[in-house]
Amino acid sequence: MSKGKKIFQYVFLTIVSLISVFPLYWMACAATNASVDVIRGKLIPGTYIIENFKKLIASQNLAAALTNSFKYSIILTLVSLFVCSLAGYGFEIYHDKGKDIVMNIILLAMMVPFAATMIPLFQMFSKAKLLNTTMGFILPTISTPFLIMMFRQSSRSFPHEIIEAARIDGLSEFGIFCRMFFPTMRSTYAAAMTITFMNAWNNYLWPKVIMTNNDTLTMPMLVANMIEGYVTDYGMLMLGVFICTIPTVIIFFILQKSFAEGITGAVK
């Protein structure tokens, strides 16, 4: 590659990176500025972050929203990883034509928008008295076709010789899954955990429908509540958005290497 092409690539990638990072930078700056400065488009950090935080905790139940979001997201992530990985493992390791048909039906479910099933789900959960509950939050997304497909694809690279050797040694099928499959597919679990946690944390529509009590609101719901009314304090609003963004950013940066390996199906 010539020197001119390499310089062009670096310049292009630098520009694209700056464009991608700019919304995060603007959000962080807006969280430290007064509402009037945000409206004017001020692009440098200000000194109003403490005032914005005081107004935020005075007008919104920030502690409850953070607690609920962490609780719902962590529980959903753990349960979803176990269910989807077990399903994906079973579809591939105990493979037959019947399971292929079932898998195709599951994948077709990805084409159905959630809005089309939201009203029937709400009626079902209302009759089952699952409104304002953790179970009501996690059940609709406890198993997703994407994660099942992801674990099934990863299971194809899992050495079957290990399974046969473990069976000869007398290890149970569930023991093989827990003691052999799980440690080997750590990168896949890391990628799935990142996706599931981010989706659960940022989920707004379903919690807004099923969580009718103010004590059960989540961070996306809290941010939406700050937009209501005749006057919006954009400094306080952007601080709420910034706080809501921090956990997903931390999770992604911690697991970014494993995330890339898990998406590409790397097996160690």
Side-chain angles (χ1 to χ4, degrees), residues 94-138:
Y94 309 105
H95 181 266
D96 57 46
K97 293 183 178 179
K99 290 186 177 65
D100 286 339
I101 296 175
V102 175
M103 189 65 198
N104 291 333
I105 295 174
I106 293 175
L107 293 178
L108 285 175
M110 296 177 66
M111 303 176 63
V112 181
F114 179 74
T117 61
M118 184 173 59
I119 295 177
L121 279 174
F122 176 79
Q123 292 177 340
M124 291 170 56
F125 281 57
S126 178
K127 292 179 180 178
K129 297 181 179 180
L130 291 177
L131 301 182
N132 299 310
T133 63
T134 303
M135 188 64 67
F137 179 91
I138 69 173

Side-chain angles (χ1 to χ4, degrees), residues 8 16 20 47 56 67 83 108 155 167 171 181 194 197 200 215 217 242:
F8 174 77
V16 172
S20 301
T47 58
L56 177 60
T67 302
V83 172
L108 285 175
S155 299
R167 286 171 178 169
L171 192 62
F181 179 80
T194 304
F197 182 86
D215 294 332
L217 86 165
F242 181 74

Side-chain angles (χ1 to χ4, degrees), residues 13-228:
L13 291 175
T14 301
I15 294 174
V16 172
S17 300
L18 291 175
I19 294 174
S20 301
V21 173
F22 177 76
L24 296 175
Y25 171 78
W26 182 83
M27 176 186 64
C29 290
T32 64
N33 287 309
S35 181
V36 62
D37 293 327
V38 177
I39 295 174
R40 290 174 180 173
K42 186 178 178 181
L43 295 179
I44 58 176
T47 58
Y48 284 85
I49 185 170
I50 297 178
E51 288 79 359
N52 289 335
F53 184 74
K54 289 180 179 179
K55 289 187 288 186
L56 177 60
I57 60 177
S59 60
Q60 302 291 333
N61 195 348
L62 179 62
L66 283 172
T67 302
N68 291 332
S69 289
F70 275 113
K71 180 179 69 173
Y72 299 150
S73 300
I74 292 173
I75 293 175
L76 175 59
T77 300
L78 294 177
V79 177
S80 182
L81 287 182
F82 176 76
V83 172
C84 293
S85 62
L86 192 61
Y89 175 84
F91 272 115
E92 181 59 32
I93 301 302
Y94 309 105
H95 181 266
D96 57 46
K97 293 183 178 179
K99 290 186 177 65
D100 286 339
I101 296 175
V102 175
M103 189 65 198
N104 291 333
I105 295 174
I106 293 175
L107 293 178
L108 285 175
M110 296 177 66
M111 303 176 63
V112 181
F114 179 74
T117 61
M118 184 173 59
I119 295 177
L121 279 174
F122 176 79
Q123 292 177 340
M124 291 170 56
F125 281 57
S126 178
K127 292 179 180 178
K129 297 181 179 180
L130 291 177
L131 301 182
N132 299 310
T133 63
T134 303
M135 188 64 67
F137 179 91
I138 69 173
L139 273 180
T141 51
I142 199 173
S143 177
T144 62
F146 175 77
L147 286 184
I148 294 176
M149 179 183 67
M150 181 178 172
F151 278 107
R152 186 192 184 194
Q153 293 299 115
S154 298
S155 299
R156 291 183 175 178
S157 58
F158 185 68
H160 285 243
E161 294 80 6
I162 296 179
I163 300 176
E164 296 299 331
R167 286 171 178 169
I168 293 174
D169 290 340
L171 192 62
S172 65
E173 297 297 321
F174 188 71
I176 295 173
F177 172 80
C178 294
R179 298 175 61 180
M180 308 296 292
F181 179 80
F182 177 76
T184 306
M185 297 294 175
R186 285 179 295 181
S187 59
T188 305
Y189 276 94
M193 184 179 73
T194 304
I195 295 171
T196 307
F197 182 86
M198 293 177 67
N199 288 338
W201 183 271
N202 295 321
N203 193 4
Y204 170 75
L205 183 58
W206 178 243
K208 187 66 175 178
V209 171
I210 198 171
M211 300 298 183
T212 58
N213 192 334
N214 289 332
D215 294 332
T216 58
L217 86 165
T218 60
M219 281 303 298
M221 295 166 63
L222 180 141
V223 172
N225 289 340
M226 288 190 284
I227 305 176
E228 298 175 354

